[in-house]
Amino acid sequence: MDLRQLRYFVAVARERNFTRAAEQLHIAQPPLSRQIQLLEEELGVALFLRKTRPIRLTDAGRLLYEQSLQVLGRVDQMKDATRRVGQNRNQLLSIGFVASTLYGGLPTLVRKLRQNAPDLDIQLLEMLSIQQIPALKEGRIDMGFGRLKHIDAGIVSTVLREERLVVALPPDVPLARDAMPLPLEALARQKLIVYPKEPRPSYADHVLHLLHEAEARPGDVLEVREIQTALGLVAAQSGICIIPSSARQMRSDLSYRVIDSPGATSPVILYHRSGDTSRYLDLVKRLIRDMYAENPPWLMTNNIHPVEEG
């Protein structure tokens, strides 16, 4: 087994088609098929169910795919780190984040990180929560901040805080005339705007589940790609939108009401690879603890509650 075979295998697993994988790899299909066959012979197991269309991974294939992503990601990281050392460049830390975390503690955390590790180059990459998991496995990011609870043996997910949800409303609708907390039941039959439209599952599913549990069935549901679009449509009186409390800073021309329900929260979650012993990960965790201990204004203003560490 060599790295070339693993890259070939990953391409086929992603495309679920030998022809498309060969085109992506810029090789002919017969040698690609032969390398996958040699890999299966070496391992003594079938990696693909070839009689299905599109082809599917076997259980063994799924395991190898997950492990291959990590191995190849680590190799790419090793290459980049070696080049950076050889070129006297600083170490790179790549952080994935969902857009709404920019309105909570992420900017403060990054400033503190730059102050405490001036030799570190920090790369911030906006990506949805569900996109951060494969990005971690493939080594494209080193840690992520998202909102989707995810169970994966290769990823550690730590809930940092639970943030209250609020309803964004056009300022001249009846629901906007009162500033008191709003029960979920009051949103029944309202036209609802949710985001992101894809990929799923996502924050949109979290919101829809909350309404379903409260038996507050919305009227029409409009799905859009990002929070900025959703709030723009609210301003255009195209519906209402449920957002994390800290994201109220995005638009001052809307009205906001806190949702009066204990379960109406959205977690902020730190993701990182299992077994990661990086000193920068430990530094980030310490800075987060210090930041919460300072009790900054945005923490209280937005009804955000840090999770106690056990």
Side-chain angles (χ1 to χ4, degrees):
M1 181 189 304
D2 57 35
L3 292 177
R4 181 186 61 169
Q5 286 179 318
L6 291 182
R7 295 189 190 279
Y8 286 1
F9 166 71
V10 166
V12 176
R14 280 178 174 161
E15 295 297 326
R16 302 175 70 185
N17 182 284
F18 278 87
T19 301
R20 289 198 301 270
E23 291 172 354
Q24 182 190 95
L25 294 165
H26 305 293
I27 63 173
Q29 183 177 334
L32 172 61
S33 299
R34 178 57 181 161
Q35 288 300 319
I36 299 299
Q37 182 182 358
L38 289 173
L39 185 58
E40 289 178 317
E41 290 176 357
E42 178 181 350
L43 295 172
V45 295
L47 299 174
F48 295 98
L49 298 173
R50 291 172 170 79
K51 293 182 179 180
T52 62
R53 290 293 180 271
I55 61 173
R56 293 190 293 117
L57 288 167
T58 63
D59 289 342
R62 280 192 291 272
L63 175 63
L64 182 63
Y65 178 64
E66 295 287 334
Q67 297 293 323
S68 296
L69 290 178
Q70 295 188 43
V71 168
L72 295 174
R74 294 286 185 168
V75 168
D76 290 339
Q77 278 188 319
M78 178 182 66
K79 289 180 179 177
D80 184 66
T82 302
R83 292 191 189 101
R84 297 181 77 83
V85 170
Q87 297 167 4
N88 294 317
R89 293 160 59 196
N90 293 340
Q91 185 169 341
L92 176 67
L93 183 72
S94 295
I95 302 174
F97 68 95
V98 294
S100 61
T101 57
L102 286 176
Y103 300 92
L106 183 60
T108 302
L109 173 63
V110 173
R111 286 197 301 271
K112 289 178 177 290
L113 187 56
R114 293 189 195 280
Q115 293 167 1
N116 283 267
D119 60 331
L120 185 64
D121 285 341
I122 302 172
Q123 179 183 47
L124 295 171
L125 300 171
E126 182 182 356
M127 55 180 63
L128 299 175
S129 301
I130 197 171
Q131 295 171 328
Q132 293 181 30
I133 305 305
L136 278 166
K137 291 184 174 181
E138 295 168 20
R140 290 185 285 118
I141 61 174
D142 300 295
M143 65 185 69
F145 293 90
R147 292 187 177 273
L148 185 66
K149 292 181 179 178
H150 195 282
I151 299 175
D152 190 300
I155 302 298
V156 176
S157 300
T158 304
V159 177
L160 301 176
R161 63 181 187 264
E162 290 284 351
E163 181 174 352
R164 282 291 183 193
L165 298 181
V166 301
V167 184
L169 302 156
D172 52 357
V173 300
L175 285 177
R177 294 172 187 164
D178 192 340
M180 295 296 292
L182 188 68
L184 276 171
E185 293 78 8
L187 303 182
R189 296 179 296 280
Q190 295 287 328
K191 185 170 183 179
L192 182 69
I193 303 168
V194 298
Y195 67 92
K197 182 177 182 179
E198 55 186 7
R200 305 293 275 271
S202 69
Y203 174 76
D205 299 290
H206 176 59
V207 168
L208 293 172
H209 177 73
L210 284 174
L211 293 171
H212 175 75
E213 288 291 299
E215 298 183 354
R217 185 186 300 272
D220 295 333
V221 176
L222 175 61
E223 300 179 353
V224 298
R225 292 188 179 277
E226 55 186 23
I227 186 173
Q228 292 88 345
T229 304
L231 293 180
L233 289 173
V234 173
Q237 298 185 336
S238 297
I240 66 173
C241 183
I242 297 176
I243 65 171
S245 180
S246 58
R248 286 181 291 185
Q249 301 173 59
M250 297 183 68
R251 292 193 73 113
S252 60
D253 58 344
L254 300 178
S255 295
Y256 300 95
R257 291 182 67 178
V258 173
I259 296 178
D260 185 16
S261 172
T265 63
S266 174
V268 175
I269 304 172
L270 169 64
Y271 307 117
H272 63 83
R273 284 181 290 271
S274 298
D276 187 347
T277 58
S278 165
R279 67 184 180 94
Y280 293 115
L281 176 59
D282 289 337
L283 175 59
V284 165
K285 290 179 177 179
R286 178 174 65 79
L287 292 175
I288 290 172
R289 289 194 297 269
D290 293 346
M291 184 172 64
Y292 287 166
E294 294 168 1
N295 201 19
W298 55 263
L299 195 63
M300 297 302 296
T301 301
N302 297 308
N303 294 317
I304 306 170
H305 306 288
V307 175
E308 295 293 336
E309 292 190 8

Coordinates of all heavy atoms in Angstrom, one line a residue, residues 240-270:
I240 N -40.1 35.8 8.9 CA -39.3 36.0 10.1 C -38.2 34.9 10.1 O -38.2 34.0 9.4 CB -40.2 35.8 11.3 CG1 -40.7 34.4 11.4 CG2 -41.3 36.9 11.3 CD1 -41.5 34.2 12.7
C241 N -37.2 35.1 11.0 CA -36.1 34.2 11.0 C -35.6 34.0 12.5 O -35.5 35.0 13.2 CB -34.9 34.7 10.2 SG -33.5 33.7 10.0
I242 N -35.3 32.8 12.8 CA -34.7 32.5 14.2 C -33.2 32.5 14.1 O -32.7 31.7 13.3 CB -35.3 31.2 14.7 CG1 -36.8 31.3 14.9 CG2 -34.6 30.9 16.0 CD1 -37.5 30.1 15.3
I243 N -32.5 33.3 14.9 CA -31.1 33.4 14.8 C -30.4 33.3 16.2 O -31.1 33.6 17.2 CB -30.6 34.7 14.1 CG1 -31.0 35.9 14.9 CG2 -31.2 34.8 12.7 CD1 -30.5 37.2 14.4
P244 N -29.1 33.0 16.3 CA -28.5 33.1 17.6 C -28.5 34.6 18.0 O -28.3 35.5 17.2 CB -27.0 32.7 17.2 CG -27.2 31.8 16.0 CD -28.3 32.4 15.2
S245 N -28.6 34.8 19.3 CA -28.8 36.1 19.9 C -27.6 37.1 19.5 O -27.9 38.3 19.2 CB -28.8 36.0 21.4 OG -29.0 37.3 22.0
S246 N -26.4 36.6 19.4 CA -25.3 37.5 19.1 C -25.3 38.1 17.7 O -24.8 39.1 17.4 CB -23.9 36.8 19.4 OG -23.9 35.7 18.6
A247 N -26.0 37.4 16.8 CA -26.1 37.8 15.4 C -27.0 39.0 15.2 O -27.1 39.5 14.1 CB -26.5 36.6 14.5
R248 N -27.7 39.5 16.3 CA -28.5 40.7 16.2 C -27.7 41.9 15.7 O -28.2 42.8 15.2 CB -29.1 41.0 17.6 CG -30.2 40.1 18.0 CD -30.8 40.5 19.3 NE -29.9 40.2 20.4 CZ -30.3 40.4 21.7 NH1 -31.5 40.8 22.0 NH2 -29.4 40.1 22.6
Q249 N -26.3 41.8 15.9 CA -25.5 42.9 15.5 C -25.4 43.1 14.0 O -25.0 44.1 13.5 CB -24.1 42.7 16.1 CG -24.0 42.6 17.6 CD -22.6 42.2 18.0 OE1 -21.6 42.9 17.7 NE2 -22.5 41.0 18.7
M250 N -25.9 42.1 13.3 CA -25.7 42.1 11.8 C -26.6 43.2 11.2 O -26.2 43.8 10.2 CB -26.0 40.7 11.2 CG -25.1 39.7 11.7 SD -25.4 38.1 10.9 CE -25.0 38.4 9.2
R251 N -27.8 43.4 11.8 CA -28.7 44.4 11.2 C -29.4 45.2 12.3 O -30.0 44.6 13.2 CB -29.7 43.8 10.3 CG -29.2 43.2 9.0 CD -30.3 42.8 8.0 NE -30.9 44.0 7.4 CZ -30.8 44.3 6.1 NH1 -30.1 43.5 5.3 NH2 -31.4 45.4 5.7
S252 N -29.3 46.5 12.2 CA -30.0 47.3 13.2 C -31.4 47.8 12.8 O -32.1 48.5 13.5 CB -29.1 48.6 13.5 OG -28.9 49.3 12.3
D253 N -31.8 47.4 11.6 CA -33.1 47.9 11.1 C -34.2 46.9 11.3 O -35.3 47.0 10.7 CB -33.0 48.2 9.6 CG -32.5 47.1 8.7 OD1 -31.9 46.1 9.3 OD2 -32.7 47.1 7.5
L254 N -33.9 45.8 12.1 CA -34.9 44.8 12.4 C -35.2 44.9 13.9 O -34.5 45.4 14.7 CB -34.4 43.4 12.0 CG -34.0 43.2 10.6 CD1 -33.4 41.8 10.4 CD2 -35.2 43.4 9.7
S255 N -36.3 44.2 14.3 CA -36.7 44.1 15.7 C -36.4 42.6 16.1 O -36.4 41.7 15.3 CB -38.2 44.3 15.9 OG -38.5 45.7 15.6
Y256 N -36.0 42.5 17.3 CA -35.6 41.1 17.8 C -36.3 40.9 19.2 O -36.4 41.7 20.0 CB -34.1 41.1 18.0 CG -33.3 41.3 16.8 CD1 -32.8 42.6 16.5 CD2 -33.0 40.3 15.9 CE1 -32.1 42.9 15.3 CE2 -32.3 40.6 14.7 CZ -31.8 41.8 14.4 OH -31.1 42.1 13.3
R257 N -36.8 39.6 19.3 CA -37.4 39.2 20.5 C -36.8 37.9 21.0 O -36.7 36.9 20.2 CB -38.9 39.1 20.4 CG -39.6 40.4 20.2 CD -41.1 40.3 20.2 NE -41.7 39.8 21.4 CZ -43.0 39.7 21.6 NH1 -43.8 40.0 20.6 NH2 -43.4 39.3 22.8
V258 N -36.3 37.8 22.2 CA -35.8 36.5 22.7 C -36.9 35.5 22.8 O -38.0 35.8 23.1 CB -35.2 36.8 24.1 CG1 -34.7 35.5 24.8 CG2 -34.0 37.7 24.0
I259 N -36.5 34.3 22.5 CA -37.5 33.2 22.5 C -37.6 32.7 23.9 O -36.6 32.3 24.6 CB -37.2 32.1 21.5 CG1 -37.2 32.6 20.1 CG2 -38.1 30.9 21.7 CD1 -36.8 31.6 19.1
D260 N -38.8 32.6 24.5 CA -39.0 32.2 25.8 C -39.3 30.7 25.9 O -40.4 30.2 26.0 CB -40.3 32.9 26.4 CG -40.5 32.6 27.9 OD1 -39.5 32.1 28.5 OD2 -41.6 32.9 28.4
S261 N -38.1 29.9 25.8 CA -38.2 28.5 25.9 C -36.8 28.0 26.3 O -35.8 28.4 25.7 CB -38.6 27.9 24.6 OG -38.5 26.5 24.6
P262 N -36.8 27.1 27.4 CA -35.4 26.7 27.9 C -34.6 26.0 26.8 O -33.4 26.0 26.8 CB -35.8 25.7 29.0 CG -37.2 26.1 29.4 CD -37.9 26.6 28.2
G263 N -35.3 25.3 25.9 CA -34.6 24.6 24.8 C -34.2 25.4 23.6 O -33.6 24.9 22.7
A264 N -34.7 26.6 23.6 CA -34.4 27.5 22.4 C -33.0 28.1 22.5 O -32.8 29.3 22.7 CB -35.5 28.6 22.3
T265 N -32.0 27.3 22.3 CA -30.6 27.7 22.3 C -29.9 27.1 21.2 O -30.4 26.1 20.5 CB -29.9 27.3 23.6 OG1 -29.9 25.8 23.7 CG2 -30.6 27.8 24.9
S266 N -28.7 27.6 20.9 CA -27.9 27.1 19.9 C -26.5 26.9 20.5 O -25.9 27.9 21.0 CB -27.8 28.0 18.6 OG -26.9 27.5 17.7
P267 N -25.9 25.8 20.4 CA -24.5 25.6 21.0 C -23.4 26.2 20.2 O -23.6 26.3 18.9 CB -24.4 24.1 21.1 CG -25.2 23.6 20.0 CD -26.3 24.5 19.8
V268 N -22.4 26.7 20.8 CA -21.2 27.0 20.1 C -20.2 25.9 20.5 O -19.9 25.7 21.6 CB -20.6 28.4 20.5 CG1 -19.3 28.6 19.8 CG2 -21.6 29.5 20.1
I269 N -19.7 25.2 19.5 CA -18.9 24.0 19.7 C -17.5 24.1 19.1 O -17.3 24.6 18.0 CB -19.6 22.8 19.0 CG1 -21.1 22.7 19.6 CG2 -18.9 21.5 19.3 CD1 -21.9 21.6 18.8
L270 N -16.5 23.7 19.9 CA -15.1 23.6 19.4 C -14.9 22.2 18.9 O -15.1 21.2 19.6 CB -14.2 23.9 20.6 CG -12.7 23.6 20.3 CD1 -12.1 24.5 19.2 CD2 -11.9 23.9 21.6

